[in-house]
Amino acid sequence: MPDRKLLRVLAGSAEKTPPVWLMRQAGRYLPEYRAVREKAGSFWDMALNPDYAAEVTLQPIRRFGFDAAILFSDILTVPEALGQKVTFTPGEGPSLTPVTSVAGFNLDRDAWAAYFEPVYEALRRTRAGLDREGFADTTLLGFCGAPWTLATYLAAGAGGDEQKAAKLWAYRDPKGFGHLLDILADCVAFHLVRQLDAGADAVQIFDSWASGLPDALHEQVVIRPTRAVVKKVRAARPDAHIIGFPRASTLQGYENYARATSVEALSLDTAVPMGWAAKTIGPLCAAQGNLDPIALIAGGAALDAAVDRILDAMQGTPFIFNLGHGILPETPIAHVEQMLKRIRQ
């Protein structure tokens, strides 16, 4: 059996040298990614083409030997599976037609499966590629957006820092908004289970817009639906490995999330003190994070110091080294190499 270090950490092992991968590691900072992107014609066409998606998933593994490959896809595949058309405009990001109810949502699971099939085929091809190219010990990660983050896009028609439309819906019509979250939780769980069946060793749930929520609302829209997703996935696949990332939650929010959802690892944003994480999150689950992507761009002594602070804080704790958010396009490849050398020295 392959010896996958990241899975050992999810099982509670504190590794002397932590496994490392980076959010958005398949991306524009790599020239080989940009070449495939140009060939594909558009981001969305690349994400839904199994050949292209598998290729760009494998690229950072070939170059850097990360301990995990995360499938190249997008969280907004779930709204599309539900019948809500997503448009990607260069320089502007994704957009949808805003919704105020779930009327017209496609709830046909066979239709979901058919829509998601290119994603599952990309996972199968990636796993085969990892094994064929000598990376059998590399963990393969699938992922989904969390119900709350997906709901913010559906309510506003785009992403945003304040999530005003989704918050207003949740405050004014908690029952109706709860129905939306329930449908999203069903589709997210469906998708995660089938990613595991297609070859993913573990999955991550991205709640990218979990910041700025009062405690009661955080419990209502972030923790409760994520707990439902985890429960549904584990009911179908009891041995499922799940990482949660409620980005930019408060410290209490992170702790409450870890306790309530039963994820095996909690990914942490750049603002979280890792000494706190070792003491508070460490006894609950593995921690993942949380290097500042800007420090990775800076490189040099600042990058070494930032890496060392995280490693020192997390020594003796089940831990996965990662960024506190996604890698940025202007990141020098040499700085990624510097970071890896520092972690693995």
Side-chain angles (χ1 to χ4, degrees):
M1 287 291 292
D3 183 22
R4 294 172 184 156
K5 183 186 284 189
L6 190 146
L7 297 184
R8 295 203 304 267
V9 172
L10 295 182
S13 175
E15 299 289 315
K16 182 178 180 181
T17 301
V20 54
W21 67 280
L22 304 179
M23 288 179 275
R24 294 183 187 161
Q25 65 190 21
R28 288 175 291 168
Y29 73 109
L30 294 177
E32 56 267 42
Y33 170 94
R34 295 195 295 271
V36 175
R37 170 68 175 78
E38 184 175 355
K39 184 178 179 182
S42 75
F43 171 87
W44 206 233
D45 288 340
M46 184 165 62
L48 292 175
N49 180 299
D51 286 332
Y52 293 148
E55 170 60 21
V56 297
T57 302
L58 289 166
Q59 287 172 349
I61 307 305
R62 296 182 187 124
R63 183 183 279 272
F64 300 115
F66 290 125
D67 294 287
I70 185 164
L71 179 69
F72 181 81
S73 187
D74 194 87
I75 65 171
L76 295 181
T77 54
V78 166
E80 277 236 330
L82 292 168
Q84 307 306 304
K85 180 65 177 176
V86 179
T87 301
F88 278 84
T89 303
E92 296 181 13
S95 62
L96 308 86
T97 299
V99 302
T100 56
S101 78
V102 298
F105 276 37
N106 183 358
L107 305 182
D108 183 342
R109 291 175 176 243
D110 290 338
W112 294 354
Y115 173 80
F116 287 131
E117 178 54 31
V119 178
Y120 309 145
E121 179 59 22
L123 277 164
R124 290 188 286 266
R125 295 185 189 189
T126 302
R127 181 75 269 168
L130 290 169
D131 294 345
R132 182 178 61 250
E133 297 183 31
F135 300 109
D137 289 343
T138 302
T139 299
L140 178 57
L141 299 174
F143 71 93
C144 257
W148 163 248
T149 287
L150 297 175
T152 67
Y153 281 97
L154 286 163
D161 290 339
E162 295 183 7
Q163 304 90 45
K164 181 179 178 181
K167 285 183 181 179
L168 284 172
W169 188 351
Y171 283 132
R172 291 171 172 168
D173 179 19
K175 184 176 179 180
F177 192 73
H179 190 198
L180 172 65
L181 292 175
D182 290 343
I183 289 173
L184 289 168
D186 282 344
C187 193
V188 166
F190 175 96
H191 192 27
L192 292 177
V193 167
R194 281 150 186 79
Q195 288 183 61
L196 293 165
D197 291 346
D201 298 303
V203 291
Q204 178 158 312
I205 301 171
F206 285 86
D207 221 342
S208 302
W209 301 115
S211 62
L213 298 172
D215 286 347
L217 194 59
H218 189 272
E219 164 64 31
Q220 175 189 342
V221 302
V222 172
I223 293 176
R224 184 192 65 81
T226 301
R227 181 170 59 232
V229 169
V230 173
K231 185 177 180 180
K232 290 172 187 289
V233 172
R234 293 230 171 97
R237 303 292 179 270
D239 59 349
H241 301 297
I242 303 173
I243 303 168
F245 185 29
R247 185 172 74 90
S249 295
T250 64
L251 296 187
Q252 188 64 56
Y254 272 123
E255 182 180 355
N256 291 344
Y257 181 104
R259 291 185 184 278
T261 63
S262 299
V263 294
E264 286 180 300
L266 184 67
S267 199
L268 304 166
D269 71 86
T270 56
V272 175
M274 293 307 275
W276 172 88
K279 293 177 182 178
T280 306
I281 302 304
L284 302 174
C285 63
Q288 176 177 277
N290 73 337
L291 182 69
D292 187 347
I294 305 299
L296 190 58
I297 293 175
L303 175 57
D304 285 344
V307 170
D308 289 349
R309 281 193 295 271
I310 294 170
L311 295 177
D312 290 346
M314 302 309 292
Q315 189 172 12
T317 301
F319 176 59
I320 302 161
F321 198 101
N322 208 315
L323 299 174
H325 197 29
I327 190 169
L328 295 167
E330 62 268 39
T331 303
I333 288 172
H335 294 181
V336 178
E337 295 168 341
Q338 175 190 345
M339 177 201 71
L340 290 170
K341 183 178 179 180
R342 195 75 177 184
I343 294 167
R344 293 169 169 169
Q345 65 184 354

